[in-house]
Amino acid sequence: MARATELLAQAGALAALTFDPRGYAIDPQWVSRVDEPDRLTLGDLVRTSALRRQLPGMSEETAAAFAPVDADDLGWAADHLLVNGRLAPALAADLRKRCLAIGAPQHAEAFVSAVLLRLEVELGALERDDEGTVDLRRAGGVITPQRIGVWLKTGLSAS
């Protein structure tokens, strides 16, 4: 019973971390913009937002305008956010800060170990073509243009 209660609390905290203005402030409209909303996780949204906030030239304001990451973004992240195969500590520090801001610091380590570990694994496993361009069809754990193709082509939501 205690474990179930803890998991429910974490689920609520992850939703707050994703959508609350003090967290990653992602517009809930993005849930309906992916081609397969039933396969979307809050972790995908958080990982994408966390990665975007580290990109060169991103300010808090520009990063707050959520958008998918492209091949160049993922390539840069793999080259600059992985240090000896490990994710740069700045991402975990930022996530912890946002957990504190939403009033859920007790869940920060669980999110670091689950959400950011997946980003570390995905960045380390990116496949590139002969020119070094990341193959977005094989990128996982983040929102890429390939995951919102229907929305991009038609402007319609996937729901």
Side-chain angles (χ1 to χ4, degrees):
M1 186 67 138
R3 180 70 177 138
T5 302
E6 179 184 345
L7 290 174
L8 284 172
Q10 285 178 356
L14 184 57
L17 183 66
T18 305
F19 301 115
D20 190 290
R22 297 165 297 168
Y24 287 98
I26 298 167
D27 184 342
Q29 289 280 334
W30 279 98
V31 173
S32 65
R33 291 178 179 166
V34 295
D35 293 344
E36 298 176 279
D38 55 319
R39 294 186 60 198
L40 177 69
T41 69
L42 295 179
D44 295 341
L45 294 168
V46 169
R47 280 185 289 276
T48 303
S49 185
L51 188 154
R52 280 182 40 78
R53 290 168 190 278
Q54 300 298 315
L55 294 172
M58 283 288 174
S59 67
E60 185 65 26
E61 293 77 34
T62 57
F66 184 85
V69 291
D70 62 20
D72 291 339
D73 297 336
L74 288 171
W76 182 91
D79 294 342
H80 295 91
L81 297 179
L82 289 179
V83 180
N84 296 323
R86 303 301 312 241
L87 201 57
L91 283 101
D94 184 60
L95 188 145
R96 288 183 187 102
K97 176 187 80 170
R98 292 173 193 284
C99 282
L100 181 63
I102 64 166
Q106 70 275 24
H107 300 299
E109 294 314 309
F111 298 154
V112 166
S113 66
V115 176
L116 293 184
L117 179 61
R118 169 91 188 265
L119 181 58
E120 178 178 291
V121 169
E122 293 291 348
L123 289 175
L126 289 174
E127 294 183 29
R128 299 177 190 239
D129 63 18
D130 292 339
E131 287 81 41
T133 303
V134 171
D135 183 351
L136 288 178
R137 295 169 298 156
R138 298 184 184 273
V142 293
I143 307 299
T144 65
Q146 277 63 22
R147 293 188 63 188
I148 60 167
V150 170
W151 180 76
L152 286 173
K153 289 177 190 167
T154 65
L156 300 174
S157 70
S159 59

